[in-house]
Amino acid sequence: MRSEPKAPSAHAEPRPQIGPFAQLIFGSRWLQVPLYVGLIIAQGVYVLLFLKELWHLVLHSFDATEQQIMLVVLGLIDVVMISNLLVMVIVGGYETFVSRLNLTGHPDEPEWLSHVNASVLKIKLAMAIIGISSISLLRTFIEAGNLGTTRSNFTESGVMWQVLIHLAFIVSAIGIAWVDRLSDGGHRKGAGHG
């Protein structure tokens, strides 16, 4: 019996050869790995902060006012939102700029990861920053009743600056989304004429 030659598989395509300088430049993306590891460590610190604040909330729940409990809970929400932001940057950034995670079909694959790119990541980050800023601003507004007293942690100008900074975040996010939409529209028009 004669053995039949094996048909080449679809996955056996030869990789294009690139020069050493191009390999160096392309390989430099791996320098970002320690940055993502650092963000994972920072997320661990946020977990410790969350547990510490939660412990304080439980210990002081019977002698705290409703306003004090609300402020601590808003602080916990703030920590969670920052942690979510870290996850988006770590997972999305690694997937976009370093290497594929090959999570397709994994039951825990984040829904947003399948269509993440640098543009989507920027918009998601901008929206997360607005959310974090909103929580911080809400905490300030709750404490605003104490303005002008010794119990206040804020001044009127401090509150005004927080509102202006929050509005700047919103305008920036709208600008990012608008520029992204313009560039996406340009790609579609170019693809239609090609």
Side-chain angles (χ1 to χ4, degrees):
M1 285 180 98
R2 204 173 104 193
S3 65
E4 297 280 329
K6 292 184 179 178
S9 69
H11 300 291
E13 294 180 20
R15 291 185 179 178
Q17 296 294 320
I18 57 175
F21 186 66
Q23 285 179 345
L24 174 68
I25 289 177
F26 185 61
S28 70
R29 72 192 191 282
W30 290 100
L31 290 173
Q32 290 189 2
V33 171
L35 305 177
Y36 293 119
V37 170
L39 289 178
I40 292 169
I41 293 168
Q43 187 169 18
V45 171
Y46 263 100
V47 169
L48 292 175
L49 175 66
F50 182 90
L51 293 174
K52 177 182 142 194
E53 290 298 317
L54 184 62
W55 179 250
H56 285 253
L57 176 65
V58 170
L59 282 180
H60 301 291
S61 61
F62 293 109
D63 59 339
T65 66
E66 182 183 356
Q67 183 178 359
Q68 290 169 329
I69 291 173
M70 191 183 317
L71 289 172
V72 172
V73 170
L74 286 173
L76 293 174
I77 293 170
D78 204 22
V79 170
V80 169
M81 291 183 77
I82 291 172
S83 185
N84 290 342
L85 177 63
L86 283 168
V87 168
M88 278 194 288
V89 171
I90 294 165
V91 176
Y94 186 89
E95 173 89 10
T96 303
F97 300 112
V98 179
S99 183
R100 298 271 182 241
L101 292 170
N102 297 323
L103 295 176
T104 305
H106 191 282
D108 293 332
E109 177 188 10
E111 181 183 307
W112 53 268
L113 190 58
S114 62
H115 53 271
V116 73
N117 58 35
S119 183
V120 169
L121 195 57
K122 279 189 294 190
I123 292 171
K124 285 192 175 296
L125 291 175
M127 295 309 295
I129 289 169
I130 289 171
I132 292 165
S133 175
S134 297
I135 295 294
S136 179
L137 199 55
L138 183 58
R139 288 172 68 187
T140 300
F141 288 158
I142 289 170
E143 290 190 39
N146 296 328
L147 279 177
T149 67
T150 56
R151 296 184 327 192
S152 177
N153 295 327
F154 303 100
T155 62
E156 288 180 22
S157 64
V159 172
M160 180 194 68
W161 279 110
Q162 270 193 300
V163 170
L164 290 175
I165 291 169
H166 181 71
L167 290 173
F169 287 150
I170 291 172
V171 169
S172 297
I174 291 169
I176 290 169
W178 183 65
V179 167
D180 183 57
R181 186 173 181 160
L182 285 177
S183 65
D184 190 40
H187 287 286
R188 285 189 194 145
K189 287 178 185 175
H193 287 48

